[in-house]
Structure formats: structure tokens, C-alpha cells
């Protein structure tokens, strides 16, 4: 993902989608609360359309990660802050918190 | 796990450390799972891996994989892996858990595996309260085999084997495994969860974590049933399938905690099972004193002599057919020979037919079956008629009867027909007929040292009074054989 420069306020979260691992099931699109994931038009090398991040609006909640059936197709990032906000909202107690 | 490409951001959710980086499966497809798009297995896999990561138990986790779509757990999880036969994962997990105390043992099973062919295994593992965590993925259908009805298939649900929809009248009702197992005393924690929406998914993650945590603490048996979508076989889009879990499946399989004894077990942990006895304690526990162990009279045998004794012993149950064979084999063992003893009998304890195969040889024995004996011991006429044709030329038939039936006589086969049972009366007990016949066999074989026979009798017959009787009976048998030759 490219860094969102030029914005005054950064998003709390950010998404990376591994195009080669995504099978285009669309469960992340359904799950995403702020609806910032969409289905891309391009096919990956296995012939799947893949999920794409809109590029803005991610809250870093991690729900798309939990709903995604592939182990590493989605990586969720959170904005680091001095107060350690990154761990503020986790899902189900089964998510991993930021290590720093 | 890669670090963020953007300095201000930190990775919070990424591929679990408990998964392999690459999956050693088909060369082209080492970067993704074999599951269909939208399959619930992938989600459950991720939750298990996340729980293993969080609990820090990767190095002591052993995952038992099932048969079904999720058969390939060993491609994905970087933990100990065992792949069980269909339905038998709880039995395998039992063995793993008991032989490696302190390990975190997970039995991962689908509904076809767990509640059809494996219904006995799961029931008894739960009833024993084995220290295992069972993750039961229920998608109400056999998916890998192409969509046949499972015990969990919903009423009215179409499958290849219920093309008009499942009917209670012919296929019974959907099996409620969680409710069923919750009636047992031993399980610690049983919960049914679903993958129908975000809330359910979050609850599933919590439940799986709890099951693994219970397992890591050694609390006993936990089972999490996960209602899971199968878009391919259900013929729905992944999102439709997810909705179907919530809107349809959940009506038949209500979510909830069916058993939770976690607090009670934490307060009063399961007593540690007594450690297994050491190997050298076994003779004492089994009542086999050291004096009874093989004495090894191998030196008494002439090393140059070829020994290939193939004996078939047949009679009615209760005549001592099997014991006769056992004494022969045990004596051979004591004499340092290769031996085999194979009993063959019906379910009756008395009066059914019974026979056994005994082989004694100096070389390794290829098969314990004696299909062409060189000695047949027939303790009654039906047994004689059953096996007499199988005796090889130059062999012997020892028959308990006054007269040998003329039509059973064959050229080149020696016969010793005597009323052994009546003659055994001479020893004081006609039940010793089998030992009289054994005496004849020993005399004609002429290879086993007497010390080996005495040792075998002492080992197999506990009561000294019977040992003494049997020794006399064997002597009588030897004499009868010698007299017959004279």
C-alpha cells in the first residue's frame, strides 16, 4: 500500500491484501463495518477476482481478518500512537495485539 | 510476519506463527489452502492457530487431523501432526494425550467424520473425559465426497442421497452432538458456535481459545461445535452460505454453552492418573514369577537336526484342544525354537468345534497357518473328517477312537487310533486325554527335551496337582505310541 500522504489526519487502520492468496470469496467485504473493501476487477494468476482495499477509511478493527478463510491473505495494521491505542479494540480476545 | 511498510503503522492481525510459511503441497499451490473460496474450515484453522499463538503452546501442541475436506491439517499447522483414520481422531488423540502428558492435543473433525463413522469414538472419549480439545466443524453435509447426507443434515435439506430433502421418517433427525455429549458427566466444556456473522465469528474465536486453554491446563474434555458454511456443496455464494448458517442452520442447531465445568475443575483438578508400572514389574503384576520365565533348554537340541513340525489339533470345545497346542508351542519356545500357535474356534465356550495350528521350526516361520499338517490330532470323528485330507504324505494322524474309519485311510499317511479318552481314565481323570495325545505327539516328533515340556506345563498350568496329572498323562501317551510301533 502506498502511504497516504497529503492527508491531515491519518486513518486509524490500514489493510494489506495478498493478491496471490485471496480467492475472492467476498466475506471480508461483507464483514467490514466501514465498508472500505471492494471486489477488484482484475483476475489474479489463479483466475480469482480479489478483494481490494479502497485505500482509506480503515479503522483497523480486524474483523475482515477474522472473517477471511485464508491464513495470510489479509494483514491489518493500526496507527501507532504514543498511548498505545493500537490495542484499544480487539476482537473476541483471540486477536493478536501489537507487539510495541 | 513482515513489519509494516509504513513506519507509523503496526501490524495487528497477520498470518499466525503456528502456520507454515509455505505449505508443502502441490508445487503451484504452496501459498494458499486447498479449501474452496468462503469455506469455514479456513476460518476455524485461523482461530486455532491464533489461540495456539496466544497461549504460547505451539511447541507442545499435537493436532490430530480427520478424514474429510480438512484432512490436510498437516500441510498448514506448524505443530505436531497425526492424521487419523476416518472417525478415529478421538481415539488417536486419546493415545497421544495419555502418552505425552502435558501436551495440548486437538482433535479436528467434520460432521461426517465425527458423528457418523466416528460416533462411537467421540462418545467414549467424551465419557472418559480424555484430556483433549475437539473442534467439531459441522456443515450439515458430506462435502469432500460430493454432498451426501450426514447425520447432521437438516430436515428438508437436499443432498445427493436425499434428493427430495431429508425426511425424519426415513433418515431420522439431525443429530445434536453437543446436546448429546452434554448429558455425560465427564466433559468440562461444550459449546456450539457459528460462523454466520461477525458476532458469531468473534464468539467462535473465544470458544476455541477456551477449549485450548482448558486443554493446556489439563482440565479434561472440551468440545466446540462450529456451524460452518460450505458454499460449494450448498450451491451458494460464500456470503449467502454465511447467511444460511445464521438464518437456517441455527434454527436446528441452537448456539450456546451446553456444559461448563471449568470453574469446578479449576477448584478441584482431576486427580493425576497413577503412573504406568515399569516394565520389569510386569511379571509380578501378572503373577508370572521369575522362576516361571523361559528356562531356555535350547542347548538340549541337536543343532544339525531339521525341525519343521506342523500340527493341526482339532476337537470339541472343552476337550483341551487349545491347551494341547499351547503346551506344545510353549515347550518349543523354551527349547529355543521358532514357534507359532493360532487358535480357531467359534463363539461357544463349550461344545463348539475348536482347532488350533501349531508350528515349531528352527527357521523363522513364514505363516502361522497350518493348511497341510504333518501331524493331525483329531479328538473326535467330525474333526478327523474335516482335516484328514489335508495331512501331507508321510505325516501322522492321531485319532481318539477305537477304530479308524476305513474311508479315512490314505496311502502314505500313518495312523494311530486309540480310545485316548478311555485310556486317560488310567491316569485317574479322563479329562487328561488331551495330554495323553500330546505324549504321543511328543514321542513321534522326538525333538523336544523333557525339561522344556516340564517347564511349559509349569508355566501354563498353575495348579501343581494338575501338572502332576498331566505329566503322568504325557508319559502314558509316550508309552502308547511306543507300544503301537512295536
Amino acid at each position: 500500500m502506498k502511504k497516504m500522504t497529503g492527508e491531515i489526519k491519518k486513518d486509524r487502520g490500514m489493510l494489506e491484501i495478498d493478491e496471490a492468496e485471496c480467492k475472492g470469496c467476498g466475506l471480508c467485504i461483507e464483514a467490514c463495518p466501514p465498508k472500505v473493501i471492494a471486489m477488484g476487477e482484475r483476475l489474479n494468476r489463479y483466475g480469482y477476482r480479489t478483494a481490494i482495499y479502497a485505500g482509506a477509511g480503515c479503522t483497523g478493527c480486524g474483523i475482515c481478518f477474522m472473517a477471511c478463510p485464508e491464513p495470510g491473505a489479509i494483514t491489518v495494521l493500526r496507527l501507532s500512537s504514543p498511548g498505545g491505542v493500537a490495542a484499544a479494540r480487539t476482537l473476541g480476545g483471540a486477536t493478536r495485539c501489537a507487539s510495541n | 510476519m513482515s513489519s509494516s511498510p509504513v513506519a507509523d503503522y503496526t501490524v495487528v492481525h497477520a498470518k499466525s506463527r503456528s502456520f507454515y510459511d509455505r505449505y508443502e503441497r502441490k508445487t503451484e499451490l504452496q501459498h494458499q489452502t486447498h479449501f474452496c473460496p468462503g469455506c469455514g474450515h479456513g476460518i476455524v484453522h485461523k482461530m486455532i492457530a491464533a489461540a495456539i499463538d496466544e497461549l504460547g503452546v505451539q511447541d507442545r501442541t499435537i493436532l490430530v487431523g480427520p478424514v474429510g475436506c480438512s484432512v490436510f491439517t498437516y500441510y498448514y499447522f506448524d505443530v505436531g501432526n497425526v492424521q487419523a483414520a476416518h472417525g478415529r481422531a478421538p481415539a488417536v488423540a486419546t493415545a497421544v494425550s495419555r502418552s505425552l502428558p502435558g501436551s495440548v492435543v486437538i482433535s479436528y473433525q467434520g460432521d461426517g467424520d465425527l458423528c457418523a463413522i466416528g460416533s462411537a469414538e467421540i462418545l467414549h472419549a467424551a465419557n472418559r473425559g480424555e484430556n483433549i480439545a475437539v473442534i467439531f466443524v459441522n456443515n450439515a453435509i458430506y462435502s469432500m465426497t460430493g454432498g451426501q447426507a450426514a447425520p447432521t443434515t437438516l430436515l428438508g435439506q437436499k443432498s445427493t442421497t436425499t434428493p427430495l430433502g431429508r425426511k425424519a421418517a426415513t433418515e431420522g433427525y439431525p443429530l445434536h452432538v453437543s446436546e448429546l455429549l452434554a448429558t455425560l458427566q465427564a466433559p468440562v466444556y461444550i459449546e456450539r458456535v457459528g460462523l454466520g456473522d461477525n458476532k458469531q465469528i468473534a464468539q467462535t474465536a473465544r470458544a476455541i481459545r477456551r477449549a485450548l486453554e482448558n486443554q493446556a491446563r489439563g482440565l479434561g474434555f472440551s468440545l466446540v461445535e462450529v456451524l460452518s458454511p460450505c458454499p460449494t456443496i450448498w450451491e451458494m455464494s460464500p456470503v449467502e452460505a454465511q447467511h444460511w448458517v445464521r438464518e437456517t442452520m441455527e434454527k436446528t442447531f441452537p448456539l450456546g454453552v451446553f456444559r461448563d465445568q471449568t470453574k469446578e475443575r479449576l477448584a478441584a483438578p482431576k486427580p493425576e492418573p497413577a503412573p504406568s508400572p515399569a516394565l520389569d514389574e510386569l511379571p509380578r503384576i501378572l503373577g508370572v514369577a521369575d522362576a516361571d520365565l523361559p528356562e531356555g533348554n535350547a542347548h538340549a537340541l541337536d543343532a544339525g537336526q531339521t525341525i519343521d513340525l506342523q500340527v493341526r489339533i482339532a476337537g470339541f470345545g472343552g476337550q483341551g484342544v487349545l491347551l494341547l497346542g499351547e503346551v506344545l508351542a510353549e515347550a518349543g519356545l523354551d527349547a529355543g525354537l521358532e514357534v507359532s500357535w493360532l487358535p480357531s474356534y467359534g463363539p461357544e465356550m463349550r461344545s463348539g468345534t475348536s482347532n488350533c495350528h501349531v508350528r515349531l521350526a528352527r527357521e523363522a516361520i513364514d505363516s502361522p497357518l497350518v493348511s497341510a499338517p504333518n501331524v493331525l490330532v483329531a479328538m473326535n470323528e467330525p474333526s478327523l473328517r474335516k482335516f484328514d485330507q489335508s495331512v501331507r504324505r508321510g505325516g501322522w494322524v492321531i485319532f481318539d477312537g477305537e477304530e479308524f474309519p476305513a474311508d479315512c485311510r490314505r496311502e502314505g499317511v500313518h495312523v494311530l487310533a486309540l480310545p485316548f479318552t478311555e485310556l486317560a481314565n488310567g491316569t485317574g481323570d479322563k479329562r487328561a486325554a488331551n495330554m495323553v495325545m500330546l505324549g504321543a505327539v511328543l514321542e513321534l516328533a522326538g525333538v523336544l527335551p523333557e525339561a522344556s515340556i516340564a517347564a511349559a506345563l509349569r508355566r501354563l498350568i498353575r495348579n501343581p496337582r494338575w501338572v502332576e496329572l498331566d505329566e503322568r498323562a504325557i508319559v502314558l501317551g509316550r508309552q502308547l505310541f511306543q507300544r503301537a510301533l512295536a
Side-chain angles (χ1 to χ4, degrees):
Chain A
M1 298 310 302
K2 64 176 191 213
K3 190 177 173 181
M4 281 150 283
T5 48
E7 283 186 51
I8 297 155
K9 192 172 176 242
K10 284 187 175 126
D11 282 334
R12 274 185 290 155
M14 198 162 95
L15 268 188
E16 288 171 0
I17 295 169
D18 183 335
E19 203 191 57
E21 197 168 338
C22 176
K23 292 172 178 165
C25 70
L27 289 179
C28 57
I29 300 170
E30 173 80 1
C32 176
K35 299 292 170 208
V36 294
I37 312 175
M39 190 64 80
E41 292 299 326
R42 245 166 49 83
L43 300 182
N44 71 4
R45 60 187 296 229
Y46 303 111
Y48 292 121
R49 288 173 68 189
T50 62
I52 48 169
Y53 175 42
C58 175
T59 62
C61 68
I63 289 172
C64 58
F65 178 85
M66 299 303 293
C68 171
E70 286 298 313
I74 294 179
T75 304
V76 180
L77 301 93
R78 274 195 209 136
L79 188 63
S80 312
S81 71
V85 174
R89 191 172 168 217
T90 58
L91 188 79
T95 56
R96 199 151 41 136
C97 295
S99 50
N100 57 333
Chain B
M1 187 168 68
S2 61
S3 62
S4 166
V6 183
D8 294 341
Y9 285 87
T10 313
V11 172
V12 284
H13 297 285
K15 185 172 170 178
S16 163
R17 291 188 300 275
S18 298
F19 285 120
Y20 287 114
D21 285 338
R22 297 194 74 77
Y23 314 128
E24 292 288 328
R25 52 188 211 104
K26 294 173 181 162
T27 41
E28 251 297 281
L29 299 164
Q30 301 196 343
H31 191 56
Q32 48 178 226
T33 65
H34 71 289
F35 296 118
C36 305
C39 176
H41 277 304
I43 301 173
V44 176
H45 276 33
K46 280 171 80 173
M47 289 168 175
I48 293 173
I52 295 171
D53 278 5
E54 275 180 56
L55 295 167
V57 293
Q58 186 181 4
D59 59 347
R60 59 184 178 109
T61 295
I62 296 155
L63 185 62
V64 182
V67 169
C69 286
S70 49
V71 64
F72 291 141
T73 49
Y74 49 82
Y75 279 144
Y76 308 125
F77 286 93
D78 186 6
V79 298
N81 284 285
V82 186
Q83 207 278 308
H86 204 0
R88 274 59 183 181
V92 174
T94 296
V96 173
S97 171
R98 287 191 182 195
S99 50
L100 295 170
S103 53
V104 174
V105 183
I106 306 166
S107 174
Y108 188 106
Q109 299 179 263
D111 51 324
D113 187 85
L114 182 138
C115 58
I117 193 168
S119 50
E121 279 72 15
I122 191 65
L123 183 66
H124 293 290
N127 193 39
R128 294 191 303 267
E130 293 297 341
N131 197 33
I132 60 176
V134 180
I135 308 300
F136 167 36
V137 179
N138 177 0
N139 58 18
I141 200 90
Y142 275 86
S143 296
M144 192 197 77
T145 50
Q148 294 80 6
T152 43
T153 295
L154 310 187
L155 288 179
Q157 187 183 345
K158 288 182 180 173
S159 71
T160 58
T161 47
T162 54
L164 302 174
R166 181 179 189 165
K167 290 184 202 70
T170 43
E171 288 93 40
Y173 293 89
L175 199 66
H176 289 76
V177 171
S178 291
E179 285 88 339
L180 204 64
L181 296 183
T183 64
L184 303 172
Q185 288 184 338
V188 180
Y189 168 59
I190 296 174
E191 180 168 358
R192 183 185 289 122
V193 291
L195 299 176
D197 57 30
N198 290 348
K199 222 174 130 187
Q200 290 190 359
I201 289 172
Q203 181 57 26
T204 303
R206 278 192 287 269
I208 288 176
R209 195 202 138 109
R210 267 196 68 186
L212 263 64
E213 198 171 23
N214 283 352
Q215 169 55 189
R217 288 160 155 177
L219 296 189
F221 184 91
S222 299
L223 180 137
V224 176
E225 174 176 351
V226 185
L227 305 184
S228 171
C230 176
T232 302
I233 298 294
W234 294 355
E235 297 179 2
M236 296 176 194
S237 76
V239 172
E240 283 166 358
Q242 193 181 49
H243 292 171
W244 198 78
V245 167
R246 190 180 64 219
E247 285 151 18
T248 306
M249 231 182 140
E250 201 193 316
K251 288 197 175 74
T252 297
F253 296 111
L255 306 187
V257 177
F258 294 93
R259 190 178 182 85
D260 189 0
Q261 298 274 312
T262 311
K263 272 184 198 150
E264 291 83 343
R265 294 293 168 90
L266 277 172
K270 222 171 135 182
E272 284 286 313
S276 303
L279 205 57
D280 54 7
E281 278 183 70
L282 288 182
R284 185 184 53 78
I285 292 165
L286 296 173
V288 188
D290 286 345
D292 285 345
L293 289 175
E295 288 159 35
N297 293 294
H299 57 276
L301 287 178
D302 174 7
Q305 194 180 358
T306 309
I307 298 171
D308 182 21
L309 200 55
Q310 304 200 20
V311 188
R312 193 75 179 259
I313 305 142
F316 285 134
Q319 280 187 305
V321 167
L322 303 186
L323 180 64
L324 196 170
E326 262 186 299
V327 174
L328 195 57
E330 190 79 28
L333 197 62
D334 186 87
L337 295 173
E338 298 283 334
V339 305
S340 68
W341 173 78
L342 184 73
S344 165
Y345 48 86
E348 307 92 341
M349 290 301 283
R350 290 283 181 275
S351 79
T353 60
S354 166
N355 73 82
C356 70
H357 312 237
V358 177
R359 290 192 63 175
L360 276 78
R362 211 184 284 280
E363 305 296 321
I365 289 166
D366 49 3
S367 163
L369 287 174
V370 176
S371 43
N374 47 27
V375 179
L376 169 66
V377 179
M379 297 188 75
N380 56 39
E381 195 177 320
S383 301
L384 173 71
R385 294 195 177 276
K386 190 170 178 187
F387 296 111
D388 74 318
Q389 294 298 314
S390 66
V391 180
R392 61 178 73 182
R393 284 174 76 88
W396 275 85
V397 178
I398 298 175
F399 175 60
D400 185 0
E402 196 82 53
E403 276 193 41
F404 195 80
D407 57 327
C408 290
R409 279 200 184 276
R410 277 168 55 221
E411 212 188 305
V413 175
H414 311 283
V415 166
L416 175 64
L418 289 170
F420 284 100
T421 304
E422 280 163 43
L423 291 165
N425 260 333
T427 62
D429 195 327
K430 68 176 179 183
R431 283 176 297 176
N434 60 340
M435 292 299 146
V436 180
M437 295 182 93
L438 173 63
V441 173
L442 292 170
E443 194 61 22
L444 88 85
V447 287
L448 292 171
E450 294 206 16
S452 292
I453 295 151
L457 283 175
R458 276 202 306 282
R459 221 167 291 143
L460 293 167
I461 298 152
R462 286 301 152 80
N463 189 327
R465 217 179 99 211
W466 299 130
V467 171
E468 189 272 332
L469 170 71
D470 288 341
E471 279 175 338
R472 275 190 290 124
I474 288 171
V475 170
L476 176 62
R478 286 181 184 275
Q479 290 165 353
L480 290 170
F481 183 79
Q482 283 163 357
R483 240 177 278 157
L485 280 193

